[in-house]
Amino acid sequence: MSLENKLTVLLTVYNGMPYLPDTVKSVLNQNDNSSGSHVSSELKEDNSLKFNLLIINNASTDGTAEYLKQINDPRVKIIHNKVQKDRTQALNQGLELIFTEYTAIIDADDLALDGRFVNQLNFLEENQNIVLLGSNIEYIDTEGRVIGFETYPVNHKDLCSRLPLFNQFAHAACMFRTEAVKLVGGYPEDFKYAQDLALWLKLITNNYQVASLAHNYAAIRLHKAQATRSKEYQELRLLDELRLHKLMLKLPNIDANVRQFALFRVAVAAFKLGRRNQAKRAFTEAFKEKFFLFNPLFWLRLKIELKRLYKKSI
């Protein structure tokens, strides 16, 4: 089985320094070394892993462009935007330029860990029904030290049932079939913060199958400069969260506990946005069922959400 010319790695960046060089290095240093039970002997014998790296420089002003000009690798194609687009538009811009069977995502401050591409490619080649594939992740600090881990379910049913709790696919750990994502319209451009989760929902609601690998194949960097942590994104995040949780309530086979917590998240997001009537309706719906009274996990989640709500209000 040859994996030649099947994969493009998409990286969008706005002011990616100083972490961007490590991110690019982690991608270009990927090789045919594979690990895990999902690696076939056929692949081990065929050292033909080849891929392209497409970088969309989204009008950076911090030295990103200067760094990118120094890259001398035939696998790398760089597009420099003169005018900044929002993140979703930049992702779709890159997607339009990709014609390989598979697309892998890497974010500008994260790392692709050893064996990621070859293992994900091999899994998708052997499981033609799977369109979106994630993996477990590590969390790293600004110095690259591992400070935590995140594990996810591996099969479609369990991944979908837990989506209303939180995103089960770290964006920088995902690989998908390019054609399927284009068929559903790419990243939904009306979502400015949670465009990745919005895309996963589009795939699932269009009856595409998803999966995840039980191995850490991406390192997600946590730092104060992240766009997802800046104050200007908070209202966009809440608006996206409110709409996404309302959509997720329509997913099939949602556990009653999960559905109740999703309703609670809708209520909290609506309350933070000042939509008191909508928040009241969601709270009322969430507390119709009585089983939460005996569910310690629900009360733990409630405590966490109330702490977040309190911090947001002061």
Side-chain angles (χ1 to χ4, degrees):
M1 174 177 60
S2 173
L3 296 180
E4 185 172 1
N5 298 327
K6 284 182 175 284
L7 173 66
T8 298
V9 182
L10 175 59
L11 189 163
T12 63
V13 55
Y14 172 72
N15 289 351
M17 304 301 283
Y19 305 114
L20 181 60
D22 286 342
T23 300
V24 172
K25 182 179 178 181
S26 77
V27 172
L28 296 181
N29 283 354
Q30 291 281 313
N31 52 40
D32 297 316
N33 292 333
S34 51
S35 60
S37 59
H38 47 273
V39 177
S40 68
S41 58
E42 184 179 9
L43 179 60
K44 290 178 181 178
E45 295 170 0
D46 185 358
N47 295 322
S48 58
L49 174 64
K50 290 182 172 61
F51 59 88
N52 304 312
L53 171 59
L54 173 60
I55 302 176
I56 306 294
N57 174 25
N58 198 14
S60 297
T61 60
D62 69 338
T64 291
E66 288 73 18
Y67 161 71
L68 293 176
K69 290 177 182 177
Q70 300 173 18
I71 298 176
N72 183 22
D73 191 305
R75 296 173 293 177
V76 180
K77 179 179 181 179
I78 303 169
I79 304 295
H80 294 279
N81 289 344
K82 294 182 179 180
V83 178
Q84 185 183 5
K85 302 181 178 184
D86 67 41
R87 176 79 188 286
T88 313
Q89 292 171 336
L91 285 165
N92 282 333
Q93 176 189 3
L95 193 60
E96 290 176 1
L97 299 173
I98 295 175
F99 300 98
T100 51
E101 184 174 353
Y102 302 107
T103 299
I105 299 296
I106 188 69
D107 291 335
D109 45 9
D110 301 329
L111 304 176
L113 300 182
D114 290 345
R116 175 191 165 185
F117 297 154
V118 69
N119 281 287
Q120 288 188 316
L121 278 168
N122 187 70
F123 183 92
L124 289 171
E125 287 284 290
E126 294 182 349
N127 297 271
Q128 292 294 318
N129 62 315
I130 301 299
V131 164
L132 169 66
L133 181 64
S135 78
N136 294 342
I137 60 172
E138 297 176 357
Y139 290 110
I140 58 175
D141 64 12
T142 55
E143 302 300 321
R145 295 178 294 242
V146 177
I147 56 176
F149 304 90
E150 194 81 65
T151 60
Y152 303 105
V154 297
N155 63 69
H156 178 86
K157 181 179 178 181
D158 291 342
L159 286 163
C160 292
S161 69
R162 292 187 62 184
L163 270 177
L165 296 177
F166 59 92
N167 193 348
Q168 301 296 300
F169 297 92
H171 194 227
C174 285
M175 184 180 292
F176 50 73
R177 298 185 190 274
T178 308
E179 182 180 4
V181 169
K182 288 184 176 182
L183 283 174
V184 300
Y187 291 87
E189 294 199 1
D190 52 339
F191 285 86
K192 305 304 180 185
Y193 167 83
Q195 62 280 113
D196 55 341
L197 182 52
L199 174 57
W200 313 153
L201 282 172
K202 283 178 69 175
L203 290 170
I204 292 168
T205 54
N206 278 275
N207 298 316
Y208 288 113
Q209 296 288 302
V210 300
S212 190
L213 298 181
H215 190 88
N216 298 336
Y217 283 127
I220 309 301
R221 194 184 304 272
L222 302 180
H223 57 89
K224 293 181 180 179
Q226 286 172 308
T228 50
R229 291 172 176 262
S230 64
K231 292 181 179 179
E232 63 190 274
Y233 271 71
Q234 292 306 310
E235 185 171 350
L236 291 175
R237 180 186 67 81
L238 287 170
L239 285 168
D240 281 3
E241 183 174 319
L242 180 61
R243 293 163 58 208
L244 283 169
H245 276 87
K246 290 172 68 176
L247 289 173
M248 284 187 279
L249 287 169
K250 300 178 182 179
L251 290 174
N253 303 319
I254 295 181
D255 178 84
N257 285 277
V258 173
R259 185 178 187 279
Q260 187 177 51
F261 188 65
L263 280 165
F264 181 73
R265 293 290 295 272
V266 168
V268 170
F271 183 84
K272 289 179 179 179
L273 288 167
R275 302 179 180 183
R276 303 303 171 90
N277 289 335
Q278 186 176 2
K280 182 179 179 180
R281 289 194 299 270
F283 270 121
T284 301
E285 181 70 19
F287 285 97
K288 276 184 178 179
E289 302 293 338
K290 303 300 183 183
F291 60 80
F292 71 88
L293 292 171
F294 309 101
N295 185 347
L297 183 58
F298 177 85
W299 289 108
L300 176 61
R301 292 168 179 161
L302 176 61
K303 181 179 179 181
I304 293 171
E305 286 297 320
L306 288 176
K307 281 185 176 180
R308 290 175 179 169
L309 180 60
Y310 174 74
K311 289 180 180 179
K312 182 68 178 176
S313 64
I314 60 176

